[in-house]
Amino acid sequence: MNSKYLGVLFAVSLMVSTAQARLVQILHTNDTHSFMDGGTHQTNTGGSARLKSLIDYYKAEADKDGVKNLVLDAGDFLEGNIYYMADRGMKSFEVHNNVGYDVVTLGNHDYLMGAEELDKMLGKINLNFSLLAANVEVGPQFPNIREKIKPYKEIEIDGIKIALLGLTTNEIWYSWSLDNSKITNPYEAAKDYEKVLKKRNNDFIIALTHMGVSKDKKLAKKTSYIDLIVGGHSHTKLTKAVMVKNKNDRDVPIVQAGMHTEYLGRLIVDLEKGKPLKVVSYELVPVKNENQDDHIKTLVDEANTDLDNIYGADWLKEEIGQSDLKSDDPEGTKKWAFFISDAMKDKVEADISIHAPPMNGENFPVGAITRRTILNSIPRVFDLDDTYGWSIYKASIKGIWLKTLFETLASFGEPLAYSGVEIQYIKTPFGLKVGKATINGQSISPFKNYTVAFTEGIIKGALGISSKTSIILKNPTKSPFKIWQTLEEKVAYAGNLKSGTTKESNKTYFDPTDESVDSDDIQAP
């Protein structure tokens, strides 16, 4: 850590500031996803104990120069790693609660367990940070959510009043899981609350968002008084602040710090009443420091002990295969998504299998594959009692309905991996349509029943958010097979997971970010 550089930066910044201005150091993370012991495919980078140590270091350096600190997290700190299963999510909550955050926004992976379970968790913990979500509305049956999740937090630094406004994604792919609750349009919530916060005499408004960079840009354009956006959700590594003009033609900086505790964002801003927020400096600091906070290390050790008690230490560590995939393979996530989709299709003897790659994410297997590797390669759990992960579902669907299913799933705007079918999507004035689809090289027969395998996430998500998919997928069958166990069997049978290619016959990878598909044109049915 370059403390000399830091001291020079602060000294120069202090010289150019005025008596009415105040330098503030904002340290920020996002999408940590319970990566407590290291980042993606690495143990010498990231991890909660290193992150806590790095935060403490920069806070202390700032304190020496009289610079105030604000430590923020933009959500998704719970589900996303097997550590989430330790003590029914409470160990993840406890670790995050002790890292040193001042304000945190609720992310979609922080409520996938449902409102009832989230309410229980919040009832068990005394939060050391303010937890925000201005566009989440819940009923009186969830008293802990109502008490502990607030729309905004106001602070004062040397006479300068700052409001932090929390906003989370309302994508229906996720929002259905917050049962008996409502996640409203974040843009509308922001426009309403920015007026409230200005009337409350706040000099600056910081939006702490879990929406993704593209939607953060839209947020800046649609609002008048937000001065800074600290974001998450898209796992974007922004090495410099992105500037977007707001409705008052002022620049709004947008920052985001990657994922999985791998980076700490460090932003120095100059605040002066009546003037625009000024970015003095910005950098992403890799979390590669040797020092690790002892208390956090102890909490992580406790989490590992709990996991050993649930699954068995030897069971988790047992090696069952090898992977030729490389950590820097840009198509690694796609390749593992197809492996998952193929495994499901074979296990339940389906004609087609459909999987959403964001549900496995970037932590695909590299090198030796243990059971813990597999659990972390698709670390998805809805019900915390379901300690062995998602089940495989299947449904019998007439061919005449398959194209509608493909179009409806694509309309949700998430990547999809299909096995057993080749699909050509085309853009039309009426949205995405299937131009051509073949199963095993044959045209789809409209009156034939096809067996389709799904991850539990697609089934529950599709049934929860669309009347079309509810009709098409009526009475899906929950198979007795778990995805983790199915992947273990396929890895053990193959012995060595070859890197392969994503361009194979009878497979389709739908990516809404492809140039041929404009994600802004994708509307939920």
Side-chain angles (χ1 to χ4, degrees), residues 66-308:
V67 174
K68 302 294 185 179
N69 290 290
L70 193 54
V71 185
L72 309 177
D73 179 75
D76 270 8
F77 58 91
L78 288 178
E79 195 244 27
N81 189 289
I82 193 60
Y83 275 121
Y84 171 65
M85 298 306 295
D87 193 20
R88 300 178 60 82
M90 289 309 299
K91 283 300 178 186
S92 292
F93 226 132
E94 189 177 359
V95 167
H96 207 70
N97 201 36
N98 283 276
V99 167
Y101 295 109
D102 297 306
V103 185
V104 175
T105 281
L106 189 75
N108 53 293
H109 285 272
D110 304 326
Y111 61 70
L112 285 181
M113 76 293 288
E116 183 176 350
E117 195 67 40
L118 176 60
D119 192 74
K120 290 178 183 176
M121 295 171 76
L122 287 170
K124 294 177 183 177
I125 194 163
N126 294 316
L127 290 177
N128 294 328
F129 52 76
S130 296
L131 185 56
L132 307 181
N135 58 322
V136 171
E137 300 175 359
V138 299
Q141 68 269 45
F142 305 121
N144 296 309
I145 295 178
R146 290 170 66 89
E147 176 191 351
K148 295 187 176 181
I149 299 181
K150 300 298 184 182
Y152 58 84
K153 171 72 174 178
E154 294 172 313
I155 62 173
E156 190 169 311
I157 296 178
D158 293 345
I160 297 174
K161 194 173 179 182
I162 304 168
L164 293 110
L165 176 65
L167 299 165
T168 194
T169 178
N170 68 333
E171 294 166 273
I172 54 177
W173 194 255
Y174 308 104
S175 60
W176 65 270
S177 61
L178 199 61
D179 46 311
N180 297 307
S181 306
K182 184 179 181 181
I183 302 180
T184 64
N185 185 305
Y187 305 129
E188 296 304 314
K191 287 190 282 187
D192 289 340
Y193 273 104
E194 69 171 357
K195 295 173 187 174
V196 171
L197 295 172
K198 273 302 177 185
K199 286 181 180 179
R200 292 177 59 84
N201 298 316
N202 285 282
D203 300 301
F204 295 92
I205 300 174
I206 299 173
L208 186 59
T209 71
H210 192 83
M211 297 161 51
V213 170
S214 63
K215 291 185 178 180
D216 284 340
K217 291 178 181 179
K218 292 179 183 178
L219 177 66
K221 293 176 182 178
K222 288 175 177 285
T223 54
S224 302
Y225 305 119
I226 290 175
D227 298 284
L228 168 68
I229 298 174
V230 178
H233 187 51
S234 54
H235 295 197
T236 309
K237 188 174 69 174
L238 291 179
T239 55
K240 63 180 182 180
V242 175
M243 296 293 184
V244 177
K245 296 285 186 183
N246 69 4
K247 293 180 73 173
N248 289 330
D249 202 37
R250 280 190 173 185
D251 282 328
V252 178
I254 300 171
V255 295
Q256 192 176 145
M259 61 181 179
H260 299 172
T261 70
E262 295 170 0
Y263 292 92
L264 175 66
R266 191 174 72 88
L267 173 67
I268 312 294
V269 294
D270 195 343
L271 306 180
E272 184 174 353
K273 285 188 177 186
K275 292 189 177 181
L277 176 146
K278 179 182 177 182
V279 174
V280 176
S281 68
Y282 180 66
E283 65 175 328
L284 288 186
V285 183
V287 183
K288 291 186 175 182
N289 43 296
E290 294 182 4
N291 293 337
Q292 299 189 49
D293 182 82
D294 288 336
H295 180 53
I296 297 294
K297 283 179 65 177
T298 298
L299 293 176
V300 175
D301 288 342
E302 291 174 0
N304 277 311
T305 298
D306 196 63
L307 292 177
D308 291 345

Side-chain angles (χ1 to χ4, degrees), residues 357-402:
M359 297 296 99
N360 57 269
E362 302 87 350
N363 204 27
F364 50 85
V366 172
I369 302 176
T370 65
R371 287 194 181 90
R372 186 161 183 158
T373 306
I374 287 178
L375 271 56
N376 274 328
S377 73
I378 178 168
R380 304 277 84 93
V381 176
F382 290 139
D383 187 342
L384 286 166
D385 291 321
D386 212 355
T387 52
Y388 287 89
W390 280 352
S391 297
I392 302 173
Y393 281 70
K394 61 180 180 178
S396 180
I397 304 173
K398 281 196 179 298
I400 197 170
W401 288 108
L402 282 178

